[in-house]
Amino acid sequence: MIDKLELNTKAQELRELLGEDANSPLDIFSLAGQIDGLTIVYYPLGENISGMCVKDDKVKLIAINSTMSYGRQRFSLAHEFYHLYFDDLSGFNVCAKKFDPKNEIEKKADQFASYFIAPYKSLRAMIKKICGTDSYSLQNIIAIEQYFGMSHQATLWRLITEGYLTKADAEKYSIGVISAAKSLGYDDKLYKPTPVELQKKTYGHYLKQVEELRQKDIVSSGKIDELLLDAFRDDIAFGDDENGGEAID
């Protein structure tokens, strides 16, 4: 049985471990980039896989399906944080896009991800601020998910599990989301996948290791380029002249 209080506590503890407070919206991708020894790969993983986590004594790697919406990618990364920090099993863990109610570990990872992105107290306070005594509306739900940076489906699921919405109500709020968000003045990035040209990228520890090899002159420049290309970082291997070498303000 899932202990929601324990998972919320774990989410708060990890936030604090990574230098965040217990309640504010967070830039989860920036946090991931600061985790020592972690390599992050964004890659088109197909329609059925949201992400994966590989961990053992030598490797820490999280892969995220970059063809899913930005909001879903944020949720998937938080989900993989659970496997990285709190799942006792090591090795290779693949996480399906479709929710499996029979998989207890995946249920815990999903609940943890929801609390990590939108902590219990913070969500309750935001609901009170946005909705007040009014009934729920699509506009209110969009405002909540935009504040926390959580996918629409994950937001609906959370509101259902917290008792704020019924499943029947949620179905009514699953249509016309992007157009409604845009009409309310929000960026629609949350609901869209990574642009195709950026869907294959590696960040984090792997690149630091390659740079260390380059600085120590341990392998040839050709091998360095090969390692970078294997990580889909041709922008580093071949140079990026977009900014012309000028200082960036």
Side-chain angles (χ1 to χ4, degrees):
M1 183 175 179
I2 292 181
D3 187 333
K4 293 183 178 181
L5 178 60
E6 179 186 2
L7 290 170
N8 186 60
T9 299
K10 287 182 182 298
Q12 290 183 333
E13 290 174 348
L14 183 57
R15 274 173 160 257
E16 293 170 3
L17 177 67
L18 298 178
E20 294 289 330
D21 66 52
N23 294 297
S24 300
L26 46 75
D27 184 345
I28 191 170
F29 297 111
S30 177
L31 287 183
Q34 298 173 38
I35 297 175
D36 187 44
L38 177 63
T39 296
I40 308 157
V41 179
Y42 297 93
Y43 192 83
L45 297 174
E47 297 181 358
N48 300 317
I49 298 174
S50 61
M52 61 182 68
C53 180
V54 183
K55 66 172 184 175
D56 56 31
D57 294 337
K58 296 181 179 180
V59 177
K60 289 194 297 186
L61 182 146
I62 288 176
I64 299 297
N65 190 340
S66 54
T67 64
M68 294 186 177
S69 72
Y70 181 71
R72 179 56 190 259
Q73 290 181 47
R74 284 172 52 83
F75 187 87
S76 295
L77 184 51
H79 176 109
E80 300 306 332
F81 278 178
Y82 178 84
H83 290 302
L84 183 65
Y85 285 96
F86 303 109
D87 189 346
D88 294 332
L89 298 177
S90 60
F92 194 84
N93 188 82
V94 178
C95 301
K97 176 183 178 181
K98 188 175 181 180
F99 177 70
D100 181 1
K102 296 181 181 179
N103 191 319
E104 196 71 13
I105 293 178
E106 291 301 293
K107 286 167 63 178
K108 288 182 178 180
D110 275 346
Q111 191 72 57
F112 169 87
S114 182
Y115 286 140
F116 189 78
I117 294 174
Y120 178 80
K121 289 184 178 179
S122 184
L123 176 64
R124 185 173 59 180
M126 188 52 54
I127 288 174
K128 183 177 181 180
K129 177 180 179 180
I130 292 174
C131 301
T133 58
D134 297 336
S135 58
Y136 287 90
S137 65
L138 178 59
Q139 290 79 6
N140 289 339
I141 294 169
I142 288 173
I144 292 169
E145 66 201 24
Q146 286 284 338
Y147 178 77
F148 289 108
M150 193 153 62
S151 72
H152 190 70
Q153 288 303 316
T155 303
L156 291 177
W157 173 75
R158 178 69 177 278
L159 293 175
I160 292 170
T161 59
E162 296 285 342
Y164 294 107
L165 288 180
T166 66
K167 289 184 178 181
D169 289 332
E171 289 182 5
K172 296 186 300 183
Y173 303 133
S174 298
I175 301 172
V177 178
I178 296 179
S179 59
K182 289 163 63 175
S183 68
L184 291 169
Y186 296 109
D187 192 331
D188 61 0
K189 177 182 178 180
L190 191 65
Y191 312 103
K192 293 186 174 182
T194 303
V196 174
E197 65 274 13
L198 300 176
Q199 286 182 0
K200 297 179 182 179
K201 289 285 184 180
T202 298
Y203 298 91
H205 184 63
Y206 179 91
L207 294 181
K208 293 177 183 178
Q209 289 182 305
V210 174
E211 177 61 16
E212 184 176 338
L213 290 174
R214 187 190 68 78
Q215 291 187 4
K216 292 182 177 179
D217 201 22
I218 295 176
V219 298
S220 67
S221 60
K223 184 61 177 179
I224 293 294
D225 289 345
E226 180 183 335
L227 292 171
L228 290 171
L229 292 175
D230 285 344
F232 320 112
R233 296 310 301 262
D234 54 295
D235 57 325
I236 301 176
F238 301 133
D240 185 352
D241 297 326
E242 180 182 349
N243 297 309
E246 297 178 3
I248 305 300
D249 188 0

